[in-house]
Amino acid sequence: MRSALAWVMSVLCLTILLPPAAANADNPIVQTIYTADPAPLVHNGRLYLYTGHDEDGSTYFTMRDWRVYSTTDMANWTDHGSPMSLATFAWADANAWAGHVAYRNGRFYWYVPVRNRSTGGMAIGVGVGDSPTGPFRDALGRPLVENNEIDPNVLIDDSGQAYLYWGNPRLAYVRLNSDMISYSGAVTYIPLTTAGYGTRTGNPSRPTLYEEGPWVFKRNGQYYNVFAAECCSEFIGYSTAPSPTGPWTYRGTVMPRQGGSFTNHAGIVDYAGGSYFFYHNGALPGGGGYTRSVAVEKFAYNADGTIPTINMTTAGPPQVGTLDPFVRQEAETIAWSSGVETEPSGEGGMNVGFIENGDHIKVKGVAFGNGASSFTARVASGTTGGRIELRLGSATGTLVGTCAVNGTGGWQNWTTVTCPVSGASGTRDLYLRFAGGAGYLLNLNWWQFTPSGGGGGNLLTNGTMEDGTTGWTSSGGTLSSATDVAHAGSRSLLTSGRTSAWQGPHQNVTNRLTNGKTYTTSVWVRSQSGTPSAKATLTLTANGTTSYLQLTPAQTVTATGWTQLTGTATVSWTGTLTSASFYVETATGTDGLYIDDASFQ
Ligand code: FUB
């Protein structure tokens, strides 16, 4: 239950946090809290963004936890909450500052600078997790390295040798061992020469531009170090080198000084065919040097490998593809929000909460296709509820449906509501606008539209696999909810230990089929090992006779990425249908199979 104090605090904070009038802007990425020090990581086709968290009203770098967000379209970002905080490191007492996550051998290593309680100096700790969204635990129970400096960053070179860089005012590195939590050799300090790191004037103790926040990566045989330069205010500069240890040559400015925060902090990644530059600024209301927000721009390297000058925008990058409203979408998947916050959900993951009259969530580029007939939402309310207005184009745009939400007896007592929708077609920005009386109205965990045209929507229960194994069984082997890989969201469904090619995940759809109707199938598949040929099949038993209908052509799937199986097929039977089952199998072989985001409609 929320306390009266929390409510009052929230009203005060939200008054400050209301977004600017240009509510169509998509930068900064997160509007629910202040974020800083971005560190992007691409894993299994999804872009994860690790950030710090500036506490509201800070007058110093008051930071107690780190946050994770992710996207597949560079426009709508899913909030995964805070899987690591100062409390993760029993030996640390303050300063959850700029970290970096590296993936190796099935694990995620999160290197962070924190204050060592016993020495009072800054040290670098390592969190380790089995999934990109955590949870993370202290890998060592002590600092990995300590020299009272900050901002760790890891490069895993093509040779497999990993380097940990960090530092302010110096720039240091060590060679990490392959366990990623120990190192060999001494701490080496990179010579900060003006040739390598530019010339700073007026500060004899710091003759070069290097300030902090190294971001080292390799591209086309060249090593880059993109760093925060010449405080204060900082700009982002970069140097290049023929090896991870130098010699470095200063190349100039990436992002000039701008944005209302006296620090900046860079992270660069390639994703979905584009290059993206992450940074932070003070652009949210109430924002500044200690209340920062992470933003992103798309850019293209120049033909000679140099980085162009990048300026901050409020629009951010173009969306990659569209968002599918006909599969379950988390409420905390947001392009822009006004007034709302997020919190851990009793049903797992996060939910949107602290919703008041007039607040809204924008979801960008929603592909309604030929139209939607209804909207379903997972909601809870500890008061008397409110309404979810479905609007297109803006928070005051065309109203295509309204869902009433009643009190459910608690903020985590979840129920599902459905309401009709009319007039939503094509690809539009969707605004979930909340309306009702005074105070908090409702919480929202997830939502999903049903397509119009009598399709009846996805016949499969838990097609996103985010509800564990709910709705699914296996005709052999072991069925489990997997968190190591997911096509979208944080889970997929794994059938391991198969002993026959026909064994795979399946779901009973007997009472959901219409005789003579044509159905479309889509399911994302990957193998645990090997490259088997996979297909989706429907088994139908009517009047004692069993037939098999191929729902998709067979396609080779791999263990390194997801393959989409799609197809259309007309379902028909004679007599009384006693059993029908949707399943995924392989043509031959018994490799374990992951499936995710399955729809049959
Ligand atoms: O967020 C705290 C500190 O501010 C970071 O460690 C630096 O990179 C600067 O962004």
Side-chain angles (χ1 to χ4, degrees):
M1 286 286 291
R2 296 170 178 84
S3 68
L5 179 62
W7 189 88
V8 171
M9 289 303 291
S10 171
V11 169
L12 290 174
C13 291
L14 293 178
T15 309
I16 298 166
L17 280 175
L18 280 175
N24 279 344
D26 296 318
N27 264 334
I29 290 167
V30 178
Q31 305 82 39
T32 48
I33 57 169
Y34 295 112
T35 54
D37 303 326
L41 172 76
V42 173
H43 182 75
N44 278 337
R46 202 170 176 90
L47 195 161
Y48 293 88
L49 178 64
Y50 301 86
T51 76
H53 170 204
D54 285 341
E55 296 291 334
D56 288 1
S58 291
T59 54
Y60 179 60
F61 298 114
T62 309
M63 306 172 79
R64 303 189 184 107
D65 64 356
W66 296 269
R67 300 286 171 139
V68 187
Y69 302 86
S70 74
T71 187
T72 54
D73 67 7
M74 298 308 299
N76 297 298
W77 290 86
T78 303
D79 185 336
H80 299 284
S82 174
M84 199 169 85
S85 72
L86 287 176
T88 306
F89 302 96
W91 49 271
D93 67 353
N95 300 351
W97 289 357
H100 182 216
V101 176
Y103 172 75
R104 188 164 208 176
N105 299 331
R107 289 206 159 137
F108 299 83
Y109 296 90
W110 199 340
Y111 301 84
V112 286
V114 287
R115 191 172 72 187
N116 185 341
R117 176 183 289 112
S118 61
T119 65
M122 290 300 289
I124 291 163
V126 194
V128 61
D130 300 323
S131 110
T133 54
F136 289 82
R137 56 195 179 276
D138 186 355
L140 290 167
R142 58 178 166 75
L144 170 65
V145 63
E146 178 168 351
N147 68 346
N148 200 25
E149 297 197 44
I150 60 173
D151 293 1
N153 170 259
V154 168
L155 163 79
I156 304 177
D157 204 5
D158 298 341
S159 63
Q161 176 64 60
Y163 297 83
L164 175 71
Y165 304 86
W166 77 99
N168 175 353
R170 296 171 293 181
L171 175 58
Y173 72 85
V174 289
R175 287 185 167 81
L176 290 173
N177 296 329
S178 59
D179 65 6
M180 300 296 275
I181 56 172
S182 63
Y183 61 91
S184 295
V187 173
T188 303
Y189 290 93
I190 293 175
L192 288 176
T193 62
T194 54
Y197 281 90
T199 305
R200 184 188 313 224
T201 51
N203 187 348
S205 67
R206 294 190 77 149
T208 77
L209 296 171
Y210 176 79
E211 186 76 31
E212 59 184 356
W215 184 269
V216 182
F217 62 98
K218 185 181 186 184
R219 180 178 181 272
N220 290 346
Q222 179 165 244
Y223 296 81
Y224 294 71
N225 183 3
V226 179
F227 56 89
E230 199 181 34
C231 194
C232 290
S233 298
E234 293 173 343
F235 69 94
I236 301 293
Y238 78 112
S239 302
T240 61
S243 88
T245 57
W248 295 95
T249 302
Y250 181 62
R251 296 291 179 193
T253 299
V254 177
M255 176 170 273
R257 296 180 167 96
Q258 55 197 281
S261 158
F262 65 87
T263 65
N264 199 350
H265 193 106
I268 289 188
V269 80
D270 280 357
Y271 178 68
S275 297
Y276 294 93
F277 178 79
F278 291 81
Y279 58 96
H280 67 219
N281 61 24
L284 275 191
Y290 301 115
T291 44
R292 300 162 292 177
S293 292
V294 168
V296 61
E297 308 296 342
K298 188 176 185 184
F299 74 99
Y301 290 90
N302 297 318
D304 62 0
T306 54
I307 302 176
T309 302
I310 301 168
N311 287 300
M312 301 180 184
T313 74
T314 55
Q319 187 170 6
V320 177
T322 54
L323 183 135
D324 184 353
F326 303 123
V327 299
R328 171 175 150 169
Q329 296 290 348
E330 296 303 316
E332 65 274 16
T333 296
I334 295 170
W336 189 268
S337 67
S338 172
V340 307
E341 297 178 35
T342 61
E343 62 184 355
S345 167
E347 296 196 310
M350 304 289 282
N351 64 255
V352 171
F354 306 91
I355 295 171
E356 294 172 288
N357 182 41
D359 292 350
H360 73 257
I361 292 169
K362 172 190 173 186
V363 187
K364 195 171 181 181
V366 177
F368 290 108
N370 293 332
S373 60
S374 67
F375 172 80
T376 298
R378 188 74 171 161
V379 293
S381 175
T383 54
T384 55
R387 301 186 303 283
I388 307 172
E389 297 175 356
L390 308 170
R391 294 181 178 271
L392 302 182
S394 79
T396 54
T398 307
L399 185 67
V400 295
T402 301
C403 249
V405 176
N406 297 320
T408 62
W411 294 109
Q412 292 293 329
N413 287 355
W414 296 97
T415 191
T416 304
V417 294
T418 297
C419 53
V421 171
S422 145
S425 62
T427 298
R428 305 293 305 274
D429 292 347
L430 169 69
Y431 286 74
L432 306 174
R433 183 179 181 277
F434 305 98
Y440 296 126
L441 303 177
L442 59 107
N443 285 352
L444 182 61
N445 192 8
W446 53 260
W447 56 265
Q448 179 169 356
F449 284 83
T450 300
S452 53
N458 191 355
L459 299 195
L460 300 174
T461 299
N462 184 27
T464 64
M465 318 303 165
E466 296 300 307
D467 283 342
T469 57
T470 301
W472 296 91
T473 54
S474 180
S475 45
T478 305
L479 189 75
S480 62
S481 176
T483 54
D484 53 338
V485 293
H487 172 255
S490 56
R491 290 172 179 274
S492 62
L493 190 70
L494 171 65
T495 304
S496 56
R498 299 163 65 233
T499 53
S500 300
W502 54 268
Q503 293 176 343
H506 74 128
Q507 185 164 141
N508 189 322
V509 291
T510 314
N511 298 320
R512 305 176 199 167
L513 296 177
T514 303
N515 203 352
K517 184 169 153 44
T518 300
Y519 291 91
T520 301
T521 300
S522 169
V523 56
W524 292 85
V525 184
R526 63 190 286 163
S527 61
Q528 238 183 342
S529 59
T531 53
S533 181
K535 57 192 175 179
T537 305
L538 189 71
T539 173
L540 294 160
T541 303
N543 280 11
T545 303
T546 299
S547 61
Y548 298 89
L549 179 66
Q550 210 63 63
L551 297 176
T552 72
Q555 269 201 73
T556 301
V557 299
T558 71
T560 53
W562 291 93
T563 301
Q564 186 180 23
L565 308 181
T566 55
T568 54
T570 302
V571 173
S572 68
W573 63 86
T574 305
T576 305
L577 183 70
T578 51
S579 170
S581 194
F582 172 100
Y583 68 103
V584 177
E585 60 181 336
T586 54
T588 56
T590 57
D591 298 310
L593 284 182
Y594 293 96
I595 67 168
D596 203 354
D597 293 328
S599 70
F600 178 53
Q601 56 188 52

